[in-house]
């Protein structure tokens, strides 16, 4: 959600992104075609196996252990507009700056996944980064340990933090086990 941002259909890839793309071509899905394919990337070898497609935007869910140097080595395999999804913690200001600079210089988008405990420590960095080529979302860490009762409260806190910083960057409301916006059973 965010200014001038329409809702998008994001589909998580199975173990084989090429097979997932083939399944998404199924006629049953034509009324809600996927626009973004979310692919978990845990190693440089997985970057080598990325599908070459223009049918959907790729969103690479990067493991925190994957160094930026691995992405730099695979720049030619990343089409413009590719979304780099990475978690950043309270002490990751330098990494956040480096990934944002890399994304901007290669026409990519950085989806910074933040834990609520990181909002305050990263605020100066977030203010400096601005909104260009940025999306914000919540990390996959469960929220009760942060003192927030549910994901909806964490998303509200994220939106308020970004508003206070003067940001108009879009917010990605992700439906994961940890961040699903749903009532408790």
């Amino acid at each position: 959600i965010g200014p001038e941002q329409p809702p998008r259909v994001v589909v998580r890839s199975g173990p084989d992104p090429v097979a997932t793309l083939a399944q998404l071509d199924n006629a049953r899905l034509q009324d809600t075609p996927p626009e973004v394919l979310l692919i978990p990337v845990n190693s440089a070898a997985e970057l080598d196996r990325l599908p070459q497609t223009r049918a959907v935007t790729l969103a690479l869910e990067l493991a925190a252990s994957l160094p930026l140097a691995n992405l730099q080595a695979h720049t030619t395999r990343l089409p413009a507009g590719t979304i780099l999804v990475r978690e950043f913690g309270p002490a990751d200001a330098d990494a956040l700056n480096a990934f944002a600079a890399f994304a901007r210089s290669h026409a990519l988008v950085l989806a910074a996944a933040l834990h609520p405990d990181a909002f305050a420590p990263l605020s100066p960095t977030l203010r400096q980064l601005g909104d260009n080529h940025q999306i914000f979302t919540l990390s996959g860490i469960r929220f009760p340990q942060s003192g927030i009762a549910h994901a909806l409260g964490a998303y509200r806190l994220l939106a308020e933090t970004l508003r206070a910083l003067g940001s108009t960057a879009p917010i990605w409301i992700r439906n994961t086990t940890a961040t699903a916006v749903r009532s408790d059973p």
Side-chain angles (χ1 to χ4, degrees):
I1 61 170
E4 303 173 13
Q5 294 293 319
R8 305 225 193 289
V9 177
V10 179
V11 176
R12 179 176 287 281
S13 175
D16 180 0
V18 174
T20 301
L21 281 171
Q23 288 176 334
L24 295 177
D25 282 339
N26 187 327
R28 294 179 310 158
L29 300 174
Q30 294 309 310
D31 60 333
T32 55
E35 298 165 276
V36 180
L37 181 63
L38 182 63
I39 303 171
V41 177
N42 296 306
S43 68
E46 291 174 0
L47 289 169
D48 288 330
R49 294 190 297 264
L50 291 176
Q52 297 298 307
T53 180
R54 299 229 187 278
V56 297
T57 299
L58 298 180
L60 309 180
E61 193 170 41
L62 306 173
S65 60
L66 187 70
L68 183 56
N70 286 109
L71 283 176
Q72 291 167 331
H74 289 82
T75 301
T76 58
R77 295 196 51 81
L78 304 176
T82 297
I83 302 168
L84 307 175
V85 185
R86 188 173 183 281
E87 290 188 8
F88 297 96
D92 291 337
D94 290 341
L96 179 56
N97 271 321
F99 274 87
F102 174 77
R104 287 183 181 135
S105 67
H106 296 349
L108 308 173
V109 176
L110 176 63
L114 306 174
H115 188 276
D117 294 343
F119 296 168
L122 291 178
S123 286
T125 303
L126 296 174
R127 184 175 283 114
Q128 290 173 349
L129 288 178
D131 297 339
N132 191 20
H133 295 267
Q134 293 281 119
I135 298 173
F136 293 97
T137 189
L138 296 176
S139 71
I141 300 171
R142 297 209 177 265
F143 299 105
Q145 63 193 24
S146 67
I148 297 173
H150 49 77
L152 184 55
Y155 278 114
R156 286 179 177 157
L157 180 59
L158 175 61
E160 179 57 29
T161 300
L162 294 174
R163 187 197 63 73
L165 294 171
S167 175
T168 58
I171 295 174
W172 179 0
I173 298 177
R174 297 174 67 194
N175 187 20
T176 67
T177 313
T179 62
V181 178
R182 66 187 186 305
S183 61
D184 292 328

